[in-house]
Amino acid sequence: MLVAVPLQALAADPLPSWNDGPVKQSIVGFVTRATTQGGPGFIPPEERIATFDNDGTLWQEQPVVQGAFLLEQVKARVKEDASLAKRQPFKAVLEGDVALLSAMDEPQLMELVATTHAGKTQEEFAREARAFFQTARHPKLGVPYTQLAYAPMLELLQYLRANGFQTWISSGGGTDFMRVISEDTYGIPPQQVIGSSLKEKFDEGNGHPVLRREARLDHLNDKAGKPVGIEQHIGRRPVFAAGNVRSGGDIQMLQYTKEQPRPGFSLLLNHDDAEREFAYAEKNDASLKAAREGGWTVVSMRQDWKRIFPEGR
Amino acid sequence: MLVAVPLQALAADPLPSWNDGPVKQSIVGFVTRATTQGGPGFIPPEERIATFDNDGTLWQEQPVVQGAFLLEQVKARVKEDASLAKRQPFKAVLEGDVALLSAMDEPQLMELVATTHAGKTQEEFAREARAFFQTARHPKLGVPYTQLAYAPMLELLQYLRANGFQTWISSGGGTDFMRVISEDTYGIPPQQVIGSSLKEKFDEGNGHPVLRREARLDHLNDKAGKPVGIEQHIGRRPVFAAGNVRSGGDIQMLQYTKEQPRPGFSLLLNHDDAEREFAYAEKNDASLKAAREGGWTVVSMRQDWKRIFPEGR
């Protein structure tokens, strides 16, 4: 009988940054059932696909990090050509600063990205993004953005992987922007990052072929675009998905994960911790309403998380 | 000194269906250098990405398998509505049979796929494709299509994986058509299949959300579209790629792999074995010309392969 005790029950707490309570219990319960061979909730290893939104789910989004990167890029362009500062959308970005960037939605951000990055090769873009992450600091918290991933979510990613789940990002942010940091920050390799993307063009480059970014959106990985991006890249429904309250951008991914022949696990983060992070709500409360109707698990960052950011950062 | 001999040199021949000679030597040489730590050709494991065309590279393409599937689908539609048999493109497909299907290029095939499959859910499509593979037989060779994968290429896929390479498909065929057989036939999971795709639409379906196929091409993964598909799905340049002579569809992928800061390995299959498989050439010989100019490795199926198909199939 002793041999039948699942190994994870004997191991140290895999989610030490989560407070004990129904949310933590439901996560551990789902993973335990998914990995209990012969049990009713068993999920074969190849179907253990977990998808995570990035901004506001894996790391902070006040401001949206790619928005801060964009601001740097616009400033650099204005140095080259001062007249740009008087033209939209550059003017709005420069004047609006952090406040405006926080309010911008993904389509607006992607349009600006197209304007500032068209014609660049993928290698050039990645170099600029890497340079940004090395020097930029969060305006309020004063640390590099990659140190503002949520400790409980990093533990959750690791816990899922330790139980045979493949962890993917499915976010409205730019695919190639996130790929620069996904491996080191989350342990998620570039090929498991699904995001918004620009059209790209193959350029023969006189025998040294490169891909160049065009000023046209290819895929907007937000709202109904998230299940589409997941199908294109993975070809299976996730059995676990996580998103957050702000714009309603994760509703369809969480519905798509929860409602299927085999019910999945949908997790929704609520940013209700003004003291340790930020508190903000959604205009129409659509995400929380969908969570109630769909039986998703809602995380109160204030109540369910012991800490927000990794210690000693 | 004895300890320094690489393990694979002591193991049994990993490519028994390949005849000894310069082609086999160049493959083994590349893989040995890529995995020799400290050597000049060493490639870190995370960069060991290998991409393979499917039709004519991993399995036979006379006829193109997805073309044969399409013919079945058109026949089924005509049973429901006899008037279709008099209308194009259905008429051409029905009359042309195998001969016409062999001559069709990927864009034409994809257009027909859009016409026959629009509105279906991904699950419905996969069910139909699976049923096809269970019953269909090659018109000349009389066996299921999945038994017509090339034995030397199956060995090559396995050899690369055993040496830490990730193997991907990058083909002009439909992503979701190939995903149905990629794992069982090639050991390549659905999320490592890059192909042509239709636009898809999220359908809330009264609380049971599904994705539905639309009659519009999303991505054509052929010619210059192959490096683009690879970048979108993988986010790294392959260090190994394989394609074949027929339509010039693999030239850009093989150039993109070969010419880069770290030179990659590009393999081009030439179908010159009328006796054991099929012999066919390319109108303008563009692929072979590019191979000579780029220093790719050209496989003569007649000379370099001991057998074409797995034994005892």
Side-chain angles (χ1 to χ4, degrees), chain A residues 60-123:
Chain A
Q60 70 78 37
E61 60 176 348
Q62 300 285 338
V64 171
V65 183
Q66 196 164 357
F69 171 59
L70 188 63
L71 181 60
E72 293 294 313
Q73 297 277 314
V74 170
K75 281 180 181 166
R77 290 284 301 268
V78 167
K79 263 192 194 163
E80 292 164 9
D81 176 2
S83 74
L84 285 177
K86 290 169 196 151
R87 269 176 43 204
Q88 294 294 14
F90 306 100
K91 188 165 174 280
V93 173
L94 290 167
E95 289 175 354
D97 234 36
V98 173
L100 177 110
L101 288 168
S102 300
M104 278 179 81
D105 59 13
E106 306 279 1
Q108 289 175 299
L109 280 176
M110 286 307 299
E111 204 188 310
L112 268 166
V113 169
T115 313
T116 47
H117 294 290
K120 286 188 181 159
T121 67
Q122 289 301 95
E123 283 86 356

Side-chain angles (χ1 to χ4, degrees), chain B residues 137-148:
Chain B
R137 297 292 178 272
H138 188 281
K140 203 169 139 186
L141 304 168
V143 298
Y145 286 103
T146 49
Q147 290 181 21
L148 295 171

Side-chain angles (χ1 to χ4, degrees), chain A residues 113-183:
Chain A
V113 169
T115 313
T116 47
H117 294 290
K120 286 188 181 159
T121 67
Q122 289 301 95
E123 283 86 356
E124 285 163 355
F125 176 83
R127 218 176 299 131
E128 289 175 10
R130 257 183 244 115
F132 166 80
F133 279 110
Q134 271 167 15
T135 58
R137 297 293 177 269
H138 189 281
K140 203 168 137 186
L141 304 169
V143 298
Y145 286 102
T146 49
Q147 290 181 21
L148 295 171
Y150 302 131
M153 296 305 282
L154 296 177
E155 291 167 7
L156 178 55
L157 288 170
Q158 204 142 19
Y159 175 51
L160 288 169
R161 286 194 292 260
N163 283 280
F165 286 78
Q166 264 194 37
T167 53
W168 290 69
I169 289 174
S170 175
S171 167
T175 305
D176 35 20
F177 183 70
M178 297 185 283
R179 277 175 173 167
V180 164
I181 56 92
S182 65
E183 177 86 63

Side-chain angles (χ1 to χ4, degrees), chain A residues 201-252:
Chain A
K201 212 178 156 65
F202 180 76
D203 176 349
E204 295 200 0
N206 274 327
H208 302 288
V210 290
L211 294 174
R212 291 195 185 279
R213 300 155 70 79
E214 296 189 79
R216 290 186 298 149
L217 257 182
D218 177 52
H219 173 65
L220 184 64
N221 200 60
D222 197 33
K223 299 190 168 73
K226 284 201 180 189
V228 172
I230 287 168
E231 171 63 24
Q232 285 173 343
H233 284 259
I234 311 178
R236 286 189 210 272
R237 276 193 206 226
V239 293
F240 187 105
N244 71 286
V245 173
R246 183 178 74 113
S247 65
D250 295 314
I251 292 176
Q252 287 85 347

Side-chain angles (χ1 to χ4, degrees), chain B residues 248-262:
Chain B
D250 295 315
I251 293 175
Q252 287 85 349
M253 174 171 75
L254 296 169
Q255 285 174 334
Y256 184 66
T257 301
K258 183 75 187 176
E259 293 291 333
Q260 51 178 309
R262 163 189 295 131

